[in-house]
């Protein structure tokens, strides 16, 4: 093991991250795979990270016959250091076949150099655009990037709702800043200029100040790009204020775990962009996935779980067809096409595998949204 790797590996064990053994399923067979799940299940991204973990775990449980899969879930927290340490720890056991990697953009950016050095495919549902803009051949994103989702977000606001004066509230994380930049570009192409833009820290516990300032700018729609908890807090306080303008939120709002924090009446007229909404149904295969997810985890699946499920399923499909090394898996992901539950995935040459987005809306009577618009983008 190179000196750098040895040093980092020792540091990883010294850090003594919390971990939980994930299921290793499938009959003993010729192909033995190692697919660690390195995601945030604590901290401000716990809701999204838990969905991501569950999707990966369910896919591994459904490994094709003939594959033996070893897996471990390691909580990365939300710091870049936590993600790096988790990857070093996983790599220290031998070269993983692939890794289910954190959806948090800052963590992905920290993991990319090590993935390149170790030669490990990272399969993620991170929406942060820049992770696939650095020429790293080892990253594969199974959730549409901001270039797809924010374009759909802005088009729905301008073309379907006919709004021209959006107030944009975004998170001050890499995720939030990436989304805000793409929203600004998408609105500009539509001839729309936001009347208000402000970033908020994910730790803020009162959205009333930013909501009050946004409404003072006289917007005709509130456009959110926030994580799950802040989204729920904002929607609840907006419902109490009754500002009289619609809310079109980011993908965090489509999550059943976010909707569960709100009363159905508080969701009336609220819409969100996402890649898919498993709880909304749409096909027998989607409904079967949702039923299995509920049985396994006692909660509702979201698009992050589904995207990670599809991503790991594509890895397993490639392995079942003979790709049993990290390099072979990388090549299969880079060159292949896979019909997943959410959409058909194929790389655009930079690791962006997902090229569709949908808009979902709540009617105020339940926490299950309806899919109202779909946007497909040619890779």
């Amino acid at each position: 093991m190179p000196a750098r790797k040895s040093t980092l590996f020792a540091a990883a064990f010294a850090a003594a991250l919390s971990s939980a053994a994930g299921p290793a399923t499938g009959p003993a067979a010729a192909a033995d795979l190692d697919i660690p799940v390195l995601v945030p299940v604590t901290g401000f991204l716990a809701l999204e990270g838990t969905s991501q973990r569950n999707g990966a775990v369910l896919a591994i449980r459904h490994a094709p016959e003939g594959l033996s899969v070893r897996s471990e879930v390691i909580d990365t927290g939300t710091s870049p250091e936590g993600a790096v340490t988790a990857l070093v720890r996983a790599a220290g056991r031998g070269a993983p076949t692939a890794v289910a990697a954190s959806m948090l953009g800052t963590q992905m950016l920290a993991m990319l150099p090590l993935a390149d050095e170790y030669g490990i495919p990272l399969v993620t549902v991170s929406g942060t655009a820049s992770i696939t803009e650095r020429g790293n051949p080892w990253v594969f994103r199974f959730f549409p990037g901001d270039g797809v989702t924010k374009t759909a977000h802005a088009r729905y606001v301008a073309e379907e709702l006919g709004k021209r004066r959006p107030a944009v509230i975004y998170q001050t994380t890499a995720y939030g800043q990436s989304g805000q930049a793409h929203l600004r570009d998408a609105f500009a192409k539509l001839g729309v200029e936001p009347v208000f833009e402000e970033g908020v820290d994910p730790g803020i516990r009162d959205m009333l100040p930013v909501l009050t300032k946004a409404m003072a700018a006289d917007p005709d729609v509130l456009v959110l790009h926030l994580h799950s908890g802040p989204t729920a807090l904002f929607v609840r306080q907006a419902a109490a204020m009754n500002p009289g303008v619609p809310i079109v939120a980011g993908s965090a709002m489509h999550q059943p775990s976010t909707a569960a924090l709100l009363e159905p009446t508080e969701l009336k007229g609220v819409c969100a962009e996402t890649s898919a909404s498993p709880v909304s149904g749409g096909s027998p295969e989607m409904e079967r996935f949702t039923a299995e997810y509920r049985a396994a985890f006692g909660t509702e699946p979201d698009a992050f779980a589904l995207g990670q499920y599809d991503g790991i399923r594509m890895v397993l499909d490639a392995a079942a067809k003979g790709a049993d090394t990290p390099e072979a898996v990388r090549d299969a992901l880079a060159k292949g096409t896979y019909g997943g539950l959410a959409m058909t995935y194929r790389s655009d040459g930079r690791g962006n595998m997902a090229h569709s987005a949908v808009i979902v809306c709540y009617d105020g009577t339940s926490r299950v949204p309806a899919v109202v618009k779909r946007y497909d983008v040619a890779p």
Side-chain angles (χ1 to χ4, degrees), residues 59-74:
I60 292 169
R61 286 183 184 176
H62 291 169
E65 186 175 356
L67 296 181
S68 177
V69 184
R70 180 171 58 128
S71 183
E72 179 184 15
V73 177
I74 301 178

Side-chain angles (χ1 to χ4, degrees), residues 40 61 110 138 233 322:
R61 286 183 184 176
W138 297 95
L233 179 60

Side-chain angles (χ1 to χ4, degrees), residues 286-307:
M286 186 77 84
E287 291 169 6
R288 186 160 50 247
F289 165 81
T290 299
E292 291 177 352
Y293 188 98
R294 288 170 179 155
F297 306 111
T299 186
E300 301 285 354
D302 58 25
F304 303 129
L306 185 59

Side-chain angles (χ1 to χ4, degrees), residues 127-129 141 144-151 174-175 178-180 182 225:
T128 302
R141 185 211 312 272
D146 287 335
V148 175
T149 58
K150 295 299 104 179
T151 297
Y175 161 81
S178 172
Q180 185 248 357
H182 280 80
H225 186 66

Side-chain angles (χ1 to χ4, degrees), residues 109-122:
L109 293 172
M111 295 170 83
L112 287 177
L114 276 182
D116 194 31
E117 179 181 344
Y118 291 156
I120 303 172
L122 301 183

Side-chain angles (χ1 to χ4, degrees), residues 29-82:
D32 294 320
L33 310 177
D34 180 20
I35 305 179
V37 179
L38 314 181
V39 299
V41 294
T42 58
F44 69 84
L45 212 63
L47 289 177
E48 295 94 329
T50 298
S51 294
Q52 185 186 11
R53 177 199 63 185
N54 292 349
V57 167
L58 193 60
I60 292 169
R61 286 183 184 176
H62 291 169
E65 186 175 356
L67 296 181
S68 177
V69 184
R70 180 171 58 128
S71 183
E72 179 184 15
V73 177
I74 301 178
D75 178 14
T76 62
T78 54
S79 71
E81 294 81 4

